[in-house]
Amino acid sequence: EAPESFEAQFALGSFEQNLKHFSKATSTYSRAIVIASKAENPDQLTRALSELGTLYHNLNRMEEARQAFTEAIKTLRDPKSKKYQIKL
């Protein structure tokens, strides 16, 4: 089993996506999202949600892509977000 660190899960998801192991990539990005949520890290959460949204888009799973991107945008409003903070 993969380590329970955000960076490890995110890198593994990207690796699996590049290998076209889309089901595994989806699960791995989902684990990264859980880790970022538990750590209350909006920057990591935004990265993982955006990548998951892109994966869903590439798989033509548009409703799931929209949901992931919508959640990513919501995290941009988090006052703890340093890297991606925007005002909408």
Side-chain angles (χ1 to χ4, degrees):
E1 185 164 313
E4 287 300 313
S5 82
F6 174 83
E7 292 300 332
Q9 291 296 317
F10 189 84
L12 182 58
S14 180
F15 180 71
E16 290 168 338
Q17 186 173 353
N18 289 337
L19 292 176
K20 301 190 183 329
H21 297 166
F22 300 123
S23 179
K24 288 181 180 180
T26 301
S27 296
T28 305
Y29 286 135
S30 294
R31 282 194 300 274
I33 289 166
V34 169
I35 292 167
S37 293
K38 286 181 181 177
E40 296 183 10
N41 188 319
D43 297 330
Q44 290 179 340
L45 187 56
T46 298
R47 283 176 58 204
L49 285 164
S50 295
E51 199 60 37
L52 183 61
T54 300
L55 174 60
Y56 283 145
H57 179 268
N58 292 341
L59 295 173
N60 204 31
R61 293 167 61 175
M62 297 306 174
E63 180 56 29
E64 290 161 296
R66 185 192 63 75
Q67 289 173 357
F69 289 134
T70 299
E71 286 301 311
I73 291 168
K74 286 180 186 176
T75 65
L76 295 174
R77 296 179 180 171
D78 190 312
K80 295 178 190 170
S81 179
K82 297 175 181 77
K83 196 171 189 179
Y84 301 104
Q85 192 171 50
I86 62 169
K87 298 189 186 328
L88 297 175

